Amino acid sequence: MQLDCNGKLVDLSGPQVMGVLNVTPDSFSDGGDFFAPEKAVERALQMQAEGAAIIDIGGESTRPGAAPVSLNDELQRVIPVIEALGPRLRVPVSIDTRKPGVMRAAIAAGAGLINDVNALQADGALEAAAQCGVPVCLMHMQGDPRTMQKDPRYDDVVSDVRAYLQQRAAACERAGIARERIVLDPGFGFGKTVEHNLQLLARLEDIVSLGFPVLAGLSRKSMIGKLLGTGVEERLPASIALAVLAVERGARLVRAHDVAATWQALQMVVAVENPSLRA
Ligand code: 7PM
């Protein structure tokens, strides 16, 4: 099983790490340190060396309560970084966006995958992704980033998220996105309480059973802070534990800020569960 990301291949026969490169001035995990293209390139090369199989670039903060970003601001943040990275990275870049205009420009600039927390629900997004011909990661979110953490409710969070992702995958296929190009993500923290997040992780196999590769984004998330009382910079051990639990339940991609530590942990899972895949 592999993803063809605009010519760069991602092998999914075992778990892989998607490294997070934020280019928002307000991004909580890097304080905007990587806003300058040269800095971003440096960090992306480091994540590649640490084992990242994909570098995820987002110019729109999806932080709970964050203000919307205009198309032009988002393009100005991400396109120069993608252009600079393409020729210097062996691994593909994914574009974390909800806007079809950013999808098209990012893929034209060399990005290899679309990561949409809105699962291509914006007007024109399905068409844009289908025409780009790259893999898409469809994430579940209840509500929108501004209000999603107010009072999230589900009948059964796992079956609700499963049904939503199945429906979005079907919409993609109808729009001409090949099955082989679809990745699903339960969207930890996006319109979910700690209990919802824990149930989704405990029963991640119910999402994996849809038959698509699953991505899990748990790194440094606030559920850890709520369970342990730790600040964002103190969440690595718990992030690693959650990544290992997700991969044990069948996740094939783990989105993480701390690439080296996450990659090393996943290699231990591989060594135990599937020694023939050892790096
Ligand atoms: C503030 C709060 C800033 C939360 C950033 C975040 C995911 C994602 C993000 C995820 C996929 C973060 C999030 N999370 N894309 N983008 N899956 N596919 O913690 O879980 O990085 S942004």
Side-chain angles (χ1 to χ4, degrees), residues 75-96:
L75 289 171
Q76 279 178 24
R77 285 177 193 172
V78 297
I79 301 301
V81 180
I82 294 170
E83 283 174 343
L85 281 175
R88 300 192 53 188
L89 283 177
R90 147 178 69 66
V91 301
V93 165
S94 68
I95 175 68
D96 188 341

Side-chain angles (χ1 to χ4, degrees), residues 10 24 64 68 72 89-90 97 114 121 128 138 151 166 200 221 266:
V10 176
T24 53
N72 273 339
L89 283 177
R90 147 178 69 66
T97 190
I114 294 166
Q121 291 183 106
L138 308 172
D151 183 24
Q166 185 167 38
L200 274 169
K221 286 216 165 145
L266 298 194

Side-chain angles (χ1 to χ4, degrees), residues 28 62-64 96 115 117 139 185 190 215 217 221 255 257:
F28 81 99
T62 43
R63 176 200 306 265
D96 188 341
N115 174 26
V117 300
M139 198 194 80
D185 180 347
F190 287 85
L215 182 149
K221 286 216 165 145
R255 187 176 176 279
H257 301 85

Side-chain angles (χ1 to χ4, degrees), residues 32 36 52-53 58 70 76 103 123 151 159-160 165 175 181 196 226:
S70 75
Q76 279 178 24
M103 294 173 191
D123 279 341
D151 183 24
S159 37
D160 289 8
L165 292 174
R181 291 206 290 264
H196 293 142
K226 285 177 183 140

Side-chain angles (χ1 to χ4, degrees), residues 18 20 22 26-29 56 60-64 96 115-117 137-139 148 185-190 215-221 255 257:
M18 170 189 270
V20 181
N22 279 315
D26 64 331
S27 57
F28 81 99
S29 57
D56 189 44
E60 175 203 37
S61 179
T62 43
R63 176 200 306 265
D96 188 341
N115 174 26
D116 184 0
V117 300
C137 177
L138 308 172
M139 198 194 80
M148 64 190 180
D185 180 347
F188 292 103
F190 287 85
L215 182 149
L218 291 152
S219 176
R220 300 185 184 176
K221 286 216 165 145
R255 187 176 176 279
H257 301 85

